[in-house]
Each structure stands twice: as C-alpha cells, then as structure tokens.
Amino acid sequence: MKKQAPYRLYLPENELPRQWYNLRADMPRQPDPMINPATGKPATLEDLTPVFSTELVCQELDATTRYIDIPQDVREMYKLYRPSPLIRAYNLEKYLGTPAKIYYKFEGNNTSGSHKLNSAIPQAYYAKAQGITALTTETGAGQWGTALAEACAYYGLDLLVYMVKVSYQQKPYRKAVMKTFGAQVIPSPSDTTQAGRAILAENPDTTGSLGCAISEAVEKAVTSPGTRYVLGSVLNQVLLHQSVIGLEAYRALEVLDEYPDTVIGCAGGGSNLGGLIAPFMRDKLLGKNNTRFIAAEPATCPSLTRGKYAYDFCDTGKITPMARMYTLGSGFIPSPSHAGGLRFHGMAPILSKLYHDGCMEAVALTQARIFEAATLFARQETILPAPESAHAICAAIDEAIRCRESGQAKTILFGLSGTGYFDMTAYMEYQEGKLQDVPPTDAQLAAGFAALPQIPQNEGI
Amino acid sequence: MKKQAPYRLYLPENELPRQWYNLRADMPRQPDPMINPATGKPATLEDLTPVFSTELVCQELDATTRYIDIPQDVREMYKLYRPSPLIRAYNLEKYLGTPAKIYYKFEGNNTSGSHKLNSAIPQAYYAKAQGITALTTETGAGQWGTALAEACAYYGLDLLVYMVKVSYQQKPYRKAVMKTFGAQVIPSPSDTTQAGRAILAENPDTTGSLGCAISEAVEKAVTSPGTRYVLGSVLNQVLLHQSVIGLEAYRALEVLDEYPDTVIGCAGGGSNLGGLIAPFMRDKLLGKNNTRFIAAEPATCPSLTRGKYAYDFCDTGKITPMARMYTLGSGFIPSPSHAGGLRFHGMAPILSKLYHDGCMEAVALTQARIFEAATLFARQETILPAPESAHAICAAIDEAIRCRESGQAKTILFGLSGTGYFDMTAYMEYQEGKLQDVPPTDAQLAAGFAALPQIPQNEGI
C-alpha cells in the first residue's frame, strides 16, 4: 500500500543530487549545433571562450557525458535553499473534485524568488574557479539579475547588471534587491559601452530593450579584463544546471512510490521546463514510460505553438551565435504582458528538438486565464505564484479537470517556478479588469519569419 | 559525538506539534489580569465575547492549562507551510570568525511573509467553528492583514481589513495581495463606521492611524451580525498560538543534540518573541537552564528599555481593555521607521512580566545598525530579512562577536520572523544614506507616561 504523501516532502540534505543530468546524452536525435554567424560553421570552444567561462562552454558543447559532477562548492550553496519541496496539492484537488493527484515542485522559496538561482550559482562558481573577477549580464524583470547577484555575493565576484531602462524605472524594488547583494545596476542603454552610446545618440529618449541590454553586457564582458558574460536561460548549460529540479522531483516521487502521467511546466526560454522534465524525458526516450509533457506558453509570445523551427539569433541585437529552435524571429516584439520571464522570441534548442520530434506538447494561454488560475491556486494552496508559473498551474488545472470528466486518476506533476511578490502590479490589473491579451497577428508572424537569417540551413523554411 | 547539523533542518510533517504550550501555566509569578475600563475590574468572559470568538477568550483567560490541543483542521492548514526550517548560519559564523554556533528559526517561507499566519489560522478556525461568518481587523504595514486573508480564504470566512489610509496609498501591493486572497480592504478612516465618520468630519484630509483603524474594526465587528474582531499580537492567545515556533525549534535542536545558551527575538507587540522563547523559558522557570533571553527592539520605540511597567490601553483610541505591560503610553507616536511591525507603544503582558522579573533582557537598536546587519546577513545567508527581523539578526551578530572576543563557543538561537520583499523602500533609503533614527526625547516619554490611565493600580508609577 502506498504511503500517504505529506503536504510538503523535503528530501534530506544528503539526498541533494551530486550530479546534473545531461539529457542530450540520451536523445537519439540531437539538437542541431549552434552556428557562428562569422564563419557559418558550428560554434567552437575558441569561438565562445572570449564571452563565456571555459568550463561553461565545455558543458554547452558536451552532448555525450550523461552525468556531470556538481562541484562541492556549488552543492554547499545549493544547500542554502535546496532540496526544494515537492508539494501535494491536496486542497486544489479537493476544490476541483478531481480524481487526479497533483504534485508540484516549488522553486520559489529563495530570495531570488525563482529557479534562476540553480544556474546562477554554478555560472558564478566556474567563473571564480577560472580566476575571473567580474561578470556582466542583462536583466528585464530582474529575477535573473537577483539570482546572479546572490551567487556573486557568495563567491565574491563583482557583478554588473544592465537592466532595461523601462524596468529600471518601473521596478525600483528589484534594483534595490540586487544592490543589497552588492551588484552594480546600470539602466540600459547607457554611456558605458559603444553599443549603448550609439543607441543613445540615435534616440536619447529610448527606454531600452533586452536586445540592447544583451549587446551592452556582452561588449562590456569582452572588452574588460577578467570579465565574462553569463546568460540565464535557453543555453544547453543552463538546462543542464536546472536538471537539479527534475532529479529532486524524480527522487521525491520515488520515495512516495509515484510516477507522473503528465509533466507540465511554463516555457519562456525553457530553463525551468527543461530542468523539470529531464529525468522523466530520459525514461520516455528509453521507452520506459508513456508520460505526456506539456509546455505552457503565453498566447502573446507563442514560440512553440505558432513559431517556426529554424536557425535564429538568441538576441534582438544579432550578436550571439545562431541556434536552431522554435522562434518567432529575433525581432519579434510581443505585446505587453506580465509574464516577463516568458517574453522570449525563441525556445531552448533541446526543447525545440523534443517538440519537433513529437516528444512534447505545447499549449498557449491568455493572461485572463492564467491570473484566474493563479488566484484560485493562491486561495487553495496559500502560495502566491509568479505570472510565469501561473501558466503551468493553469495547464495543470485543465488536465485535472479533464481527469474529472474522464474519471482517470492520473498523477500530474507541474513546476511552480517562482513567487509573485514583485508582480503585484499585474495582479492589480487583473483585479481591476485591465489585463489585455493581444496575440500576434498572422502579418506580425510573417514579418518575424521573413527576418530569419538567410543562411543555407534555413532554406525552405 | 554530535551529528553535523544540515544547513536547513525540516522536521517531518508528523512532528508538527499537536499542542500549543501555555507559558503562563509555568510562571510562578503571573502577569496581572486585563482590566475592563468600564468596571475597573478584571475583564471577564462576558466582557470579551461580544468582541472576540468565545474559544479565543477562553484561551486569553486561561492561566493554568499547560498544553492546549491544536485542532486537527488547524494542523491541516499549518502543514501547508510548517514545520518551518531551523537553519544553521554556517556562512555567517564563518564570516564573523566566531566560535559560536548560530541557529535561526525561519518563519518567512509562506506568502504572508512572516510568523503572523500561525495565529491567523486558529483565530479564523475558531470563528468558523463558532458559526461566525465574517471577521474584521486592522492592518498597518499589511503583514497581519495578509496572513488573516490567507486563513479566511482557507476557511471560507469574509474578511474586512481596515488599512491605515497612508499605508493603503503607499503600499498598494500589500492591498493587492490581500485582495488576491479575497479580503475586502478599506482605507481608514472610512465612512463605514461612526468612528470613521466622526474623524473624517473633523479632519477630512487625515491619513489615518492604527488607533483609528482599530476603533473602526472593533465597531464594525460588534455592530454586524455574525462578526468578530481579531488581533495579531500582544494578547495571551496570540503568544499561545505562536508557541508552535518555539516548540518546533526546541524539537529540532533536540534532534541535533543542541541547546541554546542565548535566545534572541525582535519585539514589537511580542508575538514572535513570545512564541520562540516559550519552551526554553519554561526550562528556565523550572530551573533547568541558565539561558539568556534577549528582546531586540527599535531605538525609536523602546517600550522595554525606556518604558514604564503600568496598566495601559492596547490602542490609541482607548477602547480596548487595559493591560499591565511595559508601555510608552498609548498616545506615544514613534518617529517614522521602517520596522512597522515593531512600532507598538506597549509589550505583551507575558513578556513584560518576564522582563520585569529579570528573566529576560532587552536591547534597543538603531535603523542604521539593523539595515547594516540585514545586508550582511542577506549576502551570507541569501535570505532578505524583514526590517523587524533584522533587529534579532543584529543582536545575534553582536552576541556572536562577543563570543569571538571571549572565546566562548556559545549556541545562539534567534528568530527570523519574516522576509523583506515588501520593504524595499526601506532598503533603498538605507542604500541612499537617507535613514534617520530619532529616538524619543525625555520630554516625549514624560508626556506619554503622564497620559497613562489614572486608575488605582497605576498609583505611584
């Protein structure tokens, strides 16, 4: 007989994973390699090490090592907030009257408020280990910048965060959190880089963009001694680090003698979803389960459900290598929405490949629906979710309702990637009926696709 | 040999306490009873039941029952966020170079962001069990209102929160959180009560006060059918519920074969401190330990270190019963500070008595010091503390430094009562060097004491 699951299951500290899991090692069909736009050829170690720490580039390019040791110093910092709890949503189940069992892996119980810390820590650690003294990055909503500021404070690295100017002005609290952890936060565009000065010369009143902030952060990294650039999503290395989410969830479900029939996560760049599904997808690829995987994305930025599978730049500034992924075009600007972490034009190459091969499904959800789900969830489970995470909640509720209708007692696992404490403006707009959902028009999408890189690999797309 | 403590120790769910501990049952010298100002005599069940739920009044007046069962329905909701972790501050210890072991009990990992939920839940539960359909309360900074909104959403009670108008305007995010949980939030003074209308008639532009909000909430409760008022601190019943903090900490330290030499908590109304120290103070009163207890209070509102032990009203409106406690006078207005939860003129009668009898010490700390401690703590331990909790951190760091100087390897336990996500304005003022500390002048204190109730019990004070 199965044990009654507690509300919250915390694995003991000594069950914190000792290795990350590299899903690529078990993918029979590999994602296509990144391409260096300067050479038109797959990006090499030499192409990437001026920008990223060497060990991270090695991880980025490693498609064969199945398990990679988590350095002891990284595990020590992980222990400050991990293992994170696996929670049984008893109250939500009861409210929905569903025979399904709903579990969620909660990554919000740390000051960064999300799973972002899982990759910020190793990225800061490897930089430190290499003798690098400073990191640069960009941040929009501020969650990634906060996570990285925590990690840099811990390892004693300087951190320069280029924060999109409009966010810098609208989200002073996020900025203050980063400063508490010792980060320097600069509104972008700024006069600290050539890229920033050029944009300011052309348009002094611009409120900035993520593309511009990336350009500034990369330029600063490659032109400053002992400095590297770091990125919080999309990359293979980031999904590798985030596998700690899935590995813990897998082990916790094992303790409970459970296995998920459906695994659901929100998807922006893909780091949270990619990390959560990793070990369950391994089982699927090895023919050991029949689990469904669902990516929940915003209707305003539907890269999987309405994008094209093509080579594209990861940034609007077109300075990064090109990756083959589902994309809306690197110039695509989604209509305003409050799920800032999901407003990325593309999707991690690993997830794009799995989706392309039919191993994963995707749904696009409106803000009206996800805030309704978030509010219901908060009242039943007492956790205030981030708008991003609310996409996963909404898809999980939909699945639980289908179970009620079909009478199937499925086991559902979803990722609750973060909390919404810094998103109350969004909740207020929902409460006041002011939320808008403007999905892209067909013409907008066509314009985005027309701007895809004209390279041989994209022919016929 | 002692086991190596993990960073975070979570007791399993089945070790969640089954009973609260009533410290009064072990106090050889009892706190003086509350006095009904209308009769001049100790407040009775009959005096208090029109305002509070009956079971809560029974708990308020019960000085003899040592352990009181936690109702099963309350334990079910506790399980949504408890047991809370006991954390070993390894990084802080290392940074300070202290031989002391520092442990902290972290109560911030729930959406209310503080320990307040521990009492909000039973208060809502007992109201529901009695057939009451609605609760009223006041809130300043909003933490208590948020906790109560969560509890009322869970038990299906209506909640009306009178929020001090200036906070309502300055803290729209807190208001939005309460609304997410279904509470109705009204800026006070309002036209929904006689008290509010009278104040507005006199001064239409007033930004309100906690005293006024209490008056409105109590009036609304006693004039509305099926409605009761609830309070989040100071009262005996609240300290009883909060004993769950101390009981869990006690058990967790037992698991680690540890016992604290010093227990430290921040003190405003006293609910967090009173809950944390309860079982350790029991041991002291029974002669079983030589532990020091330290209350950390703000220099701007130093009720223990500079107040008088006298009968006083719990509210500025003078409508509540009088309690014998350390007080600065119910009309005392502390200079602005960011530790909103500690800006109360008095101190819980139980704690006041213990302090008066020499069982507990107190220190008063400036904002400059506590934000310095908060920032240091965040960088070492990755948790962003509430300004209130930072008082306990600061006092714990002081104690750890004394240990470094004396070479004593003491075991320190402090309460980290909450997180600072909604206090970033305060952090920003600290970062910009704008914080001010204005302790009360002797003349201010004298005026506060002169306004103490002129009753026989206060003669000679």
Side-chain angles (χ1 to χ4, degrees), chain B residues 132-356:
Chain B
I132 286 162
T133 57
L135 294 177
T136 70
T137 198
E138 76 291 332
T139 202
Q143 266 172 330
W144 168 243
T146 305
L148 198 60
E150 287 186 55
C152 286
Y154 186 86
Y155 291 113
L157 289 164
D158 291 334
L159 173 62
L160 189 58
V161 180
Y162 287 93
M163 189 171 187
V164 178
K165 194 180 276 178
V166 62
S167 299
Y168 184 91
Q169 290 161 345
Q170 287 177 352
K171 304 204 170 191
Y173 293 165
R174 276 280 186 202
K175 179 181 68 189
V177 179
M178 289 184 261
K179 283 189 173 176
T180 300
F181 286 98
Q184 191 184 348
V185 187
I186 294 181
S188 168
S190 74
D191 62 3
T192 65
T193 65
Q194 222 163 351
R197 286 189 294 270
I199 291 167
L200 284 173
E202 202 176 303
N203 183 358
D205 298 325
T206 179
T207 54
S209 70
L210 208 53
C212 167
I214 294 178
S215 305
E216 289 207 278
V218 173
E219 178 187 327
K220 193 72 184 179
V222 298
T223 58
S224 307
T227 304
R228 289 294 184 283
Y229 167 74
V230 291
L231 185 64
S233 190
V234 182
L235 299 177
N236 298 330
Q237 51 173 289
V238 178
L239 269 69
L240 174 72
H241 306 148
Q242 296 294 357
S243 70
V244 72
I245 305 173
L247 293 166
E248 284 183 9
Y250 194 94
R251 173 64 190 142
L253 287 171
E254 226 169 41
V255 169
L256 299 171
D257 196 15
E258 295 275 21
Y259 198 92
D261 300 298
T262 312
V263 182
I264 298 168
C266 64
S271 70
N272 148 66
L273 178 65
L276 176 68
I277 68 173
F280 305 102
M281 184 60 84
R282 170 194 58 202
D283 288 357
K284 186 182 186 85
L285 295 174
L286 299 175
K288 291 187 183 169
N289 71 25
N290 200 22
T291 297
R292 282 176 65 202
F293 297 87
I294 304 176
E297 62 181 12
T300 50
C301 195
S303 55
L304 287 173
T305 51
R306 297 179 68 194
K308 278 211 192 302
Y309 189 51
Y311 267 100
D312 199 4
F313 293 95
C314 295
D315 65 315
T316 51
K318 303 191 177 184
I319 58 172
T320 61
M322 293 181 286
R324 190 162 182 213
M325 59 185 174
Y326 277 84
T327 178
L328 300 164
S330 65
F332 175 79
I333 311 246
S335 79
S337 102
H338 290 291
L342 305 184
R343 298 182 76 231
F344 183 65
H345 66 277
M347 182 59 63
I350 292 173
L351 295 180
S352 292
K353 180 65 177 167
L354 291 167
Y355 180 69
H356 195 63

Side-chain angles (χ1 to χ4, degrees), chain A residues 105-139:
Chain A
K105 180 73 171 161
F106 180 36
E107 291 292 314
N109 264 356
N110 67 76
T111 291
S112 82
S114 82
H115 67 292
K116 291 288 182 188
L117 201 49
N118 301 331
S119 186
I121 292 170
Q123 293 202 46
Y125 166 79
Y126 287 121
K128 178 78 175 178
Q130 191 181 329
I132 286 163
T133 56
L135 294 178
T136 70
T137 197
E138 75 291 332
T139 202

